[in-house]
Amino acid sequence: EFVTILDLYNYLSKRQSIETSSQKLILINSEEYKIAFLVDDIQYIKTIDASKLYMHENRGGNKFVYAEFYEGEELYSILNIEKIILDKQLLINIS
């Protein structure tokens, strides 16, 4: 069985990621898609209250950002995985 791996850093920033021993894969395995995202690291998994999200309407930012939220003074972005997977640049055949 084959799984497509997308280097998320390279795809979003158009720069080559630096290979490290801490790199991880996030596997999306649904009825429609089977894809893995190569990421630098996974610090933690967190549940976020929807009322704390600032919905992103592509206000000049990254078209793949779904929403943002603050934790303390840190701003975090939540990616829209479906938009990434369906982006024409990837040429993924989902049929």
Side-chain angles (χ1 to χ4, degrees):
E1 185 171 355
F2 292 95
V3 176
T4 300
I5 298 175
L6 175 65
D7 181 339
L8 206 50
Y9 181 82
N10 178 269
Y11 186 73
L12 295 176
S13 69
K14 307 298 183 207
R15 294 184 301 224
Q16 190 68 34
S17 65
I18 298 170
E19 189 173 323
T20 67
S21 62
S22 67
Q23 285 181 310
K24 308 282 190 273
L25 291 174
I26 299 173
L27 179 64
I28 307 295
N29 187 10
S30 69
E31 290 181 23
E32 296 91 20
Y33 315 110
K34 182 172 255 182
I35 187 169
F37 295 103
L38 179 67
V39 296
D40 291 337
D41 199 4
I42 300 171
Q43 294 180 351
Y44 52 85
I45 296 172
K46 183 170 183 72
T47 301
I48 303 155
D49 186 342
S51 67
K52 294 183 179 185
L53 296 180
Y54 300 98
M55 301 312 289
H56 203 277
E57 303 276 336
N58 195 22
R59 297 172 294 234
N62 190 314
K63 67 181 179 179
F64 300 119
V65 174
Y66 170 74
E68 297 172 323
F69 71 96
Y70 282 95
E71 186 170 76
E73 294 185 14
E74 290 286 327
L75 177 65
Y76 294 89
S77 297
I78 299 174
L79 297 176
N80 186 326
I81 299 301
E82 188 170 8
K83 277 191 176 182
I84 293 171
I85 291 171
L86 296 176
D87 187 41
K88 293 177 183 174
Q89 291 182 29
L90 287 180
L91 303 175
I92 296 175
N93 182 359
I94 58 173
S95 58

